[in-house]
Amino acid sequence: MEDNPVVDNLAEDNLATEIVHGVPETVEVSRHPDPSIGDSDLSLADIGRRRSHPVQWSVYAVGVLTAIILPYWLGRMMAVRQTDWLISHMPPVTVEGVALVSWMVTVVMFSGLGLAIVESSRWLWRIVFAVGLAVEQLIAGVGLLKFDFWNSTYVIYGEHAQFANAANVGIMAAGFAVAIYAILFVGLLVLIPKRSRLNVLTRSWSSFILFFVIEVLAYLVVVFSGLLYVF
């Protein structure tokens, strides 16, 4: 015999009458607590729209586009129109130092992007990414970064072109390291089984360690391979 649903509820005694095996019986039932969340007419879609903040994201998207376009244009304009001023105000650093600065700025930019993806609820890393992107684009503009930058830098900077070339090489080294990291990380996700002990390599903290190791190796290759003096 199957139990039948409750047919009578004695709220004042917290008792209920049920038909059990064809015989009516009075049993004690648990008392439901008062709801802590009030009634609402909002649906899940409405709640999702309230949490999406489209205005903030629109402003941020415009800011990112501005960080891509404006700093590069400004740096390029300075390189073309204020070349002598840039050369005269160039800090007393080596070619390796210039590459290190541009490499570090690019690494900070990509780190901010990665952390913004991992911790999507925090705006701090999105701001770090946008600021790093703006600075990286400014350096790229001053260095006239493009596929054949060494021709342009030699025409604009003359004998000082090696510093602009070093800045471009630092940015490119960081970018290539990100590409290598992405390929390795995707490969680990595909090849390592979920129950394997090696699956720890796909965790967020270990993946960031792998990212920084690859980035440091990329900079060391650039410095000790003589690549800075090729262009």
Side-chain angles (χ1 to χ4, degrees):
M1 296 291 292
E2 296 180 354
D3 295 342
N4 292 323
V6 176
V7 297
D8 187 21
N9 186 14
L10 306 177
E12 62 278 3
D13 297 327
N14 202 34
L15 300 175
T17 301
E18 295 181 352
I19 304 300
V20 181
H21 301 292
V23 180
E25 293 185 4
T26 301
V27 296
E28 184 177 359
V29 296
S30 61
R31 187 182 299 275
H32 294 283
D34 295 331
S36 58
I37 302 177
D39 296 334
S40 176
D41 295 331
L42 294 176
S43 64
L44 292 177
D46 294 330
I47 296 174
R49 281 191 292 269
R50 285 192 172 188
R51 294 179 177 178
S52 62
H53 304 296
V55 176
Q56 294 182 7
W57 280 106
S58 299
V59 172
Y60 181 74
V62 173
V64 170
L65 290 176
T66 304
I68 294 174
I69 299 173
L70 183 59
Y72 184 84
W73 172 82
L74 178 62
R76 192 175 182 86
M77 185 187 67
M78 293 175 61
V80 174
R81 298 183 180 180
Q82 301 181 5
T83 308
D84 294 335
W85 183 88
L86 285 175
I87 294 175
S88 62
H89 287 79
M90 189 175 298
V93 294
T94 62
V95 174
E96 291 81 6
V98 174
L100 176 62
V101 171
S102 62
W103 171 82
M104 287 182 61
V105 169
T106 310
V107 170
V108 169
M109 178 192 70
F110 283 120
S111 299
L113 177 60
L115 289 171
I117 295 174
V118 174
E119 299 185 4
S120 58
S121 61
R122 301 188 63 180
W123 276 88
L124 172 63
W125 305 119
R126 299 188 188 107
I127 296 174
V128 170
F129 166 68
V131 174
L133 177 63
V135 178
E136 183 270 340
Q137 287 294 98
L138 179 62
I139 297 175
V142 173
L144 304 172
L145 179 60
K146 56 181 182 179
F147 289 111
D148 55 346
F149 62 85
W150 51 89
N151 294 323
S152 301
T153 54
Y154 181 76
V155 171
I156 297 299
Y157 293 105
E159 60 181 4
H160 300 282
Q162 58 180 345
F163 294 98
N165 294 338
N168 294 333
V169 171
I171 294 174
M172 295 176 63
F176 281 122
V178 170
I180 295 173
Y181 161 76
I183 294 173
L184 289 178
F185 184 70
V186 172
L188 291 175
L189 289 177
V190 174
L191 298 177
I192 297 179
K194 292 183 177 180
R195 296 183 179 181
S196 174
R197 293 182 178 180
L198 295 177
N199 195 36
V200 69
L201 297 176
T202 62
R203 301 293 179 87
S204 58
W205 60 269
S206 58
S207 63
F208 272 107
I209 293 176
L210 177 63
F211 167 74
F212 286 114
V213 168
I214 295 175
E215 285 288 356
V216 171
L217 289 177
Y219 175 75
L220 293 178
V221 168
V222 166
V223 171
F224 293 103
S225 66
L227 187 61
L228 293 176
Y229 300 95
V230 172
F231 302 103

